[in-house]
């Protein structure tokens, strides 16, 4: 056996799988080392991909030639486009996935990459020459050498699970933790810390009274995560269900606080602010007499359900007694209790934007080891780490996405510039250019880049080129077509919008919020002729063109605002604003601006919890 590789990836979570697949696709002989090859890209927490801002990240991964979107489309059992009642900058795709199939499909893609090799083992140390990493040593005493190493160990580094006063070592329930490695990395000069996350109970669907629950169905339309021809997913589409806690549930939960590791001092690390445990909700929102819960299926043909919103590390008996007071769960059987997990992470400010360590050459880091939370944030980092490890081996310049190019660029810039004081989760509010960074235009922003890198396949690229050509034809037609009122006004009246007083260009009509391109097809048959032989692209092209028509002015304005912000990063700030009185700032931003009192706008931008929207407010106040 050959123990020398171009690139070694440690850990086969969402970051590790993207990193390994990218490196192998780009021609590097790649070794992916994981504790269990049957659990690649395992959905350790909720069985879903996407969501607010997270869906945009997955679309960006797909546009660059990554695989998470494709795996999601092939294993989806419910698709929803969130925030459709808002503007397109807020639209976010989300899919419930078949958890077991998700992992299997990911493994299949990795095994189909000829240069990707697998090794089941635990890495216990990096091999180094001074401050240069050149390989790894494993628990089986195997030594593998490489020109670059990518660390994507997730929650496994010194992982410690908590259920009430019971705690034991593990990377997640049912899996052993990874020991020695993080301590060795810390001894080499990398700053280490501890974080905490958690997960809810899993329930047996056969014991749930679904008649007492509110069903939540998905969208059946042309949307998907991946770019390219629609993938053949034959899985049965499943609903989710909604229920609520109540005061009786809350009283039972509170009775266990003395044994809660979150409140008796056992857990000292910081958990995610934006995905709190149920006990944290009871403390932080004590005035609420109920909290919404979502029951999510874990697969097409399994009885296992995930109780979203009920993450907990309370004693097992407390969790079970509380569940029995929730409508629909009175007789529920639990498959496993909720638990919390503490794990090691490394200070991301010690990374370059390429995700290479500033302390240890040839070592790249991605995922929760950088202080993030979420499959999507991990996958985005993994893809960038894989690309840049390849470019480092080749002696090429790093590939870096800027904040106005991608949510992935915002994510990485936030990590390496601001650092983290809690698990980082992406939101649309973290991006100052979110009108530019929409889920619908990720291919326009990134496909050419992915093609230049060598990740975007011929099939995906030709599909994209067809889309661009068809959209141009459609926009040209709409811009020049004059619609006469005798044909137009009956349509406008039916749509509940003001009739036209004179002939209007089709683009003027479509700019109205009530009117869509499809509404004009009865009087514009030319639209249908554009898509003859291109039915697979019709829906996506029309949506893209319509967004460009309706929101062109907003897009142009945001570009101007972006330029202004970039010019004013160094404006002095200290002593000029009474933050406590500015109620338009988020509560978190006011709290941290008062405590830190930054010298400049540039410094304020680097404070975790101060969003780009908060910075815009400060700039407006300073302008006054």
């Amino acid at each position: 056996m050959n123990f020398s590789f171009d690139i070694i990836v440690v850990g086969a979570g969402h970051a590790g799988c993207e990193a390994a697949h990218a490196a192998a696709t780009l021609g590097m002989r790649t070794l992916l080392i994981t504790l269990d090859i049957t659990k690649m890209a395992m959905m350790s927490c909720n069985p879903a991909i996407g969501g607010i801002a997270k869906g945009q990240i997955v679309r960006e991964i797909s546009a660059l030639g990554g695989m998470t979107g494709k795996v999601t489309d092939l294993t989806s059992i419910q698709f929803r486009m969130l925030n459709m009642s808002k503007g397109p900058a807020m639209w976010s795709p989300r899919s419930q996935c078949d958890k077991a199939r998700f992992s299997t499909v990911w493994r299949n893609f990795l095994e189909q990459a000829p240069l990707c090799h697998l090794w089941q083992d635990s890495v216990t140390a990096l091999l180094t020459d001074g401050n240069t990493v050149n390989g790894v040593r494993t628990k089986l005493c195997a030594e593998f050498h490489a020109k670059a190493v990518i660390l994507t160990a997730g929650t496994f580094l010194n992982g410690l699970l908590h259920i009430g006063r019971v705690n034991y070592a593990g990377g997640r329930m049912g899996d052993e933790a990874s020991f020695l490695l993080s301590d060795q990395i810390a001894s080499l000069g990398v700053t280490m810390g501890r974080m905490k996350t958690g997960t809810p109970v899993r329930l047996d669907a056969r014991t749930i009274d679904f008649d007492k629950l509110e069903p939540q169905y998905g969208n059946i339309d042309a949307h998907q995560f991946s770019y390219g021809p629609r993938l053949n997913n034959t899985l049965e589409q499943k609903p989710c269900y909604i229920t609520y806690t109540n005061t009786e549930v809350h009283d039972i939960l509170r009775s266990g606080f003395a044994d809660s590791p979150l409140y008796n001092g056992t857990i000292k690390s910081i958990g995610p602010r934006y995905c709190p445990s149920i006990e944290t909700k009871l403390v932080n929102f004590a005035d609420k007499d109920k909290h919404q819960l979502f029951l999510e299926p874990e697969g097409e043909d399994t009885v296992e359900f995930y109780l979203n919103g009920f993450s907990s590390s309370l004693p097992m008996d407390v969790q079970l007694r509380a569940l029995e007071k929730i409508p629909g769960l009175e007789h529920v059987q639990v498959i496993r209790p909720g638990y919390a997990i503490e794990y090691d992470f490394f200070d991301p400010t010690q990374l370059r934007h390429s995700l290479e360590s500033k302390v240890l050459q040839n070592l790249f880091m991605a995922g929760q080891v950088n202080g993030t939370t979420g499959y999507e944030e991990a996958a985005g980092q993994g893809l960038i780490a894989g690309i840049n490890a390849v470019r480092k081996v080749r002696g090429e310049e790093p590939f870096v996405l800027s904040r106005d190019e991608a949510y992935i660029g915002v994510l990485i810039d936030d990590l390496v510039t601001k650092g983290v004081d809690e698990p980082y989760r992406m939101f649309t509010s973290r991006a100052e250019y979110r009108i530019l960074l929409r889920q619908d235009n990720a291919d326009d922003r990134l496909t050419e880049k992915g093609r230049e890198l060598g990740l975007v396949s011929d099939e995906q690229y030709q599909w994209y080129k067809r889309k661009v050509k068809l959209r141009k034809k459609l926009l040209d037609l709409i811009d020049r077509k004059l619609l006469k009122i005798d044909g137009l006004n009956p349509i406008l009246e039916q749509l509940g919008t003001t009739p036209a007083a004179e002939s209007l260009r089709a683009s003027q009509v479509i700019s109205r919020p009530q009117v869509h391109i499809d509404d004009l097809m009865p009087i514009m048959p030319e639209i249908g002729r554009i898509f003859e032989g291109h039915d697979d692209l019709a829906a996506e092209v029309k949506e893209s063109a319509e967004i460009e028509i309706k929101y062109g002015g907003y897009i142009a304005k945001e570009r101007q605002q972006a330029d202004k912000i970039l010019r004013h990063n160094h404006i002095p700030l200290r002593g000029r604003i009474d933050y406590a009185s500015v109620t338009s700032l988020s509560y978190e931003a006011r709290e941290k601006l008062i405590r830190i009192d930054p010298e400049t706008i540039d410094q304020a931008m680097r404070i975790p919890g101060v969003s780009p929207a908060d910075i815009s407010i400060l700039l407006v106040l300073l302008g006054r």
Side-chain angles (χ1 to χ4, degrees):
M1 177 175 176
N2 190 338
F3 285 82
S4 294
F5 295 85
D6 295 311
I7 291 171
I8 293 172
V9 180
V10 180
H14 300 266
C17 287
E18 283 288 1
H21 192 272
T25 301
L26 293 176
M28 294 287 116
R29 190 164 180 270
T30 303
L31 179 66
L32 177 58
I33 303 176
T34 179
L35 284 164
D36 188 344
I37 61 173
T38 68
K39 296 180 178 179
M40 292 182 176
M42 176 59 65
M43 291 177 159
S44 305
C45 199
N46 63 316
I49 290 290
I52 306 302
K54 292 168 174 283
Q56 283 88 326
I57 289 176
V58 179
R59 290 283 271 172
E60 291 171 355
I61 291 169
S62 299
L64 285 167
M67 301 303 292
T68 297
K70 186 173 286 188
V71 176
T72 301
D73 292 335
L74 287 169
T75 61
S76 176
I77 55 175
Q78 186 195 100
F79 179 92
R80 293 182 67 213
M81 186 66 75
L82 307 181
N83 284 339
M84 287 293 285
S85 62
K86 301 179 180 179
M90 305 299 289
W91 298 356
S92 300
R94 184 183 189 273
S95 274
Q96 295 294 136
C97 293
D98 187 302
K99 176 186 286 190
R101 287 185 174 94
F102 189 93
S103 183
T104 300
V105 170
W106 242 124
R107 180 175 175 177
N108 289 341
F109 277 126
L110 289 164
E111 291 180 341
Q112 290 166 16
L115 293 176
C116 184
H117 303 270
L118 307 177
W119 181 262
Q120 184 166 294
D121 201 348
S122 175
V123 172
T124 56
L126 301 176
L127 302 178
T128 61
D129 182 6
N131 67 342
T132 300
V133 174
N134 52 32
V136 301
R137 181 181 300 111
T138 75
K139 189 175 181 180
L140 297 178
C141 296
E143 290 193 356
F144 297 98
H145 296 271
K147 300 166 187 173
V149 173
I150 306 173
L151 179 63
T152 69
T155 61
F156 282 73
L157 297 178
N158 288 330
L160 184 64
L161 278 62
H162 299 270
I163 306 172
R165 293 190 180 275
V166 175
N167 59 72
Y168 61 92
R172 59 180 166 233
M173 187 171 282
D175 293 294
E176 63 179 278
S178 174
F179 300 103
L180 305 177
L181 180 58
S182 55
D183 292 330
Q184 185 227 7
I185 292 174
S187 73
L188 294 171
V190 178
T191 302
M192 183 174 70
R194 293 283 279 177
M195 281 188 175
K196 168 261 173 189
T197 189
T199 193
V201 296
R202 306 301 198 271
L203 309 176
D204 187 332
R206 296 170 297 182
T207 61
I208 297 172
D209 187 350
F210 289 101
D211 290 338
K212 294 183 178 179
L213 307 180
E214 175 188 340
Q216 184 183 53
Y217 297 97
N219 307 133
I220 307 298
D221 58 24
H223 290 104
Q224 62 178 23
F225 277 95
S226 58
Y227 286 101
R230 194 160 187 86
L231 298 173
N232 183 28
N233 178 349
T234 60
L235 299 181
E236 179 186 352
Q237 298 302 288
K238 298 276 192 176
C240 295
Y241 297 88
I242 297 173
T243 187
Y244 295 87
T245 63
N246 52 54
T247 54
E248 194 173 4
V249 173
H250 297 177
D251 289 342
I252 294 171
L253 293 173
R254 289 192 186 98
S255 72
F257 275 18
D259 294 315
S260 167
L262 286 177
Y263 295 105
N264 64 18
T266 304
I267 292 178
K268 296 181 173 59
S269 50
I270 299 173
R273 175 189 296 261
Y274 301 105
C275 190
S277 65
I278 187 65
E279 51 263 45
T280 300
K281 291 178 187 178
L282 298 188
V283 171
N284 292 351
F285 306 100
D287 57 320
K288 290 187 176 292
D289 57 10
K290 68 177 182 179
H291 291 282
Q292 191 175 54
L293 304 174
F294 295 88
L295 284 90
E296 303 176 348
E298 298 247 334
E300 179 193 35
D301 51 12
T302 177
V303 299
E304 189 174 1
F305 263 70
Y306 176 93
L307 188 58
N308 196 337
F310 204 79
S311 176
S312 179
S313 58
L314 285 165
M316 186 164 54
D317 66 305
V318 175
Q319 294 185 42
L320 302 185
R321 284 191 289 114
L323 286 172
E324 293 173 354
K325 302 301 180 181
I326 296 173
L329 306 183
E330 292 88 349
H331 305 290
V332 75
Q333 193 72 32
V334 171
I335 293 175
R336 81 175 193 212
Y339 63 90
I341 180 170
E342 290 184 283
Y343 56 94
D344 293 342
F345 80 101
F346 301 104
D347 179 5
T349 64
Q350 292 184 303
L351 298 174
R352 307 181 193 279
H353 279 79
S354 65
L355 296 181
E356 183 183 10
S357 172
K358 296 176 183 177
V359 179
L360 298 172
Q361 291 186 46
N362 301 336
L363 175 65
F364 293 77
M365 296 186 180
Q368 286 180 274
V369 294
N370 290 339
T372 63
T373 181
Y375 311 141
E376 303 82 4
E377 291 89 340
Q381 293 172 70
L383 180 62
I384 299 302
I387 290 169
N388 282 318
V390 170
R391 295 179 73 83
K392 179 68 183 291
V393 170
R394 290 176 176 169
E396 298 171 350
E397 288 297 311
F399 174 72
V400 175
L401 292 169
S402 62
R403 298 183 70 92
D404 63 339
E405 289 179 315
Y407 272 95
I408 296 173
V410 175
L411 163 66
I412 293 174
D413 185 60
D414 279 352
L415 291 176
V416 305
T417 304
K418 300 180 181 181
V420 292
D421 59 1
E422 61 190 35
Y424 181 102
R425 178 179 178 179
M426 179 54 73
F427 289 101
T428 51
S429 60
R430 294 192 189 273
E432 55 268 61
Y433 312 118
R434 56 185 175 271
I435 296 178
L436 307 179
L437 307 182
R438 307 183 309 275
Q439 65 84 28
D440 66 277
N441 72 344
D443 55 342
D444 289 320
R445 293 183 274 121
L446 300 173
T447 297
E448 291 288 356
K449 293 179 183 293
R451 183 67 173 178
E452 291 171 8
L453 289 167
L455 284 175
V456 170
S457 67
D458 291 342
E459 181 183 50
Q460 180 179 341
Y461 190 63
Q462 292 308 315
W463 188 91
Y464 167 68
K465 297 300 284 186
R466 271 200 303 139
K467 175 183 172 181
V468 171
K469 185 177 179 180
L470 290 169
R471 184 176 55 203
K472 184 178 186 306
K473 283 185 178 181
L474 181 58
L475 287 170
D476 288 345
L477 169 64
I478 290 172
D479 189 53
R480 69 172 185 269
K481 180 70 174 182
L482 199 64
L483 300 177
K484 296 181 179 180
I485 59 174
D486 56 344
L488 176 61
N489 279 344
I491 294 175
L492 296 181
E493 290 169 2
Q494 186 177 1
L495 294 172
T497 184
T498 306
E502 59 183 2
S503 297
L504 296 175
R505 292 190 183 277
S507 56
Q508 293 175 285
V509 178
I510 292 169
S511 66
R512 298 187 182 193
Q514 303 91 344
V515 183
H516 302 286
I517 290 174
D518 281 342
D519 296 325
L520 300 183
M521 289 186 70
I523 57 174
M524 288 186 68
E526 307 98 311
I527 293 175
R529 289 195 287 273
I530 286 176
F531 295 105
E532 289 177 356
H534 303 286
D535 291 345
D536 58 329
L537 275 163
E540 185 150 351
V541 168
K542 283 186 279 189
E543 179 179 272
S544 177
E546 193 170 303
I547 289 171
E548 192 167 323
I549 292 167
K550 290 183 185 294
Y551 297 94
Y554 296 103
I555 293 169
K557 183 178 179 180
E558 183 155 281
R559 289 190 185 279
Q560 294 174 355
Q561 290 175 338
D563 291 341
K564 182 178 180 180
I565 287 177
L566 292 173
R567 289 196 305 268
H568 292 85
N569 277 355
H570 298 287
I571 289 177
L573 188 57
R574 176 168 287 176
R576 300 181 66 186
I577 294 176
D578 177 12
Y579 302 118
S581 66
V582 185
T583 57
S584 54
L585 291 170
S586 69
Y587 177 81
E588 183 184 359
R590 294 202 303 273
E591 181 184 67
K592 291 187 175 181
L593 286 167
I594 291 169
R595 177 164 54 86
I596 297 173
D597 194 14
E599 290 278 359
T600 63
I601 286 286
D602 186 51
Q603 186 183 355
M605 289 178 69
R606 285 164 164 75
I607 299 173
V610 178
S611 73
D614 295 320
I615 295 298
S616 296
I617 291 168
L618 295 179
L619 285 171
V620 169
L621 292 173
L622 291 173
R624 290 176 183 169

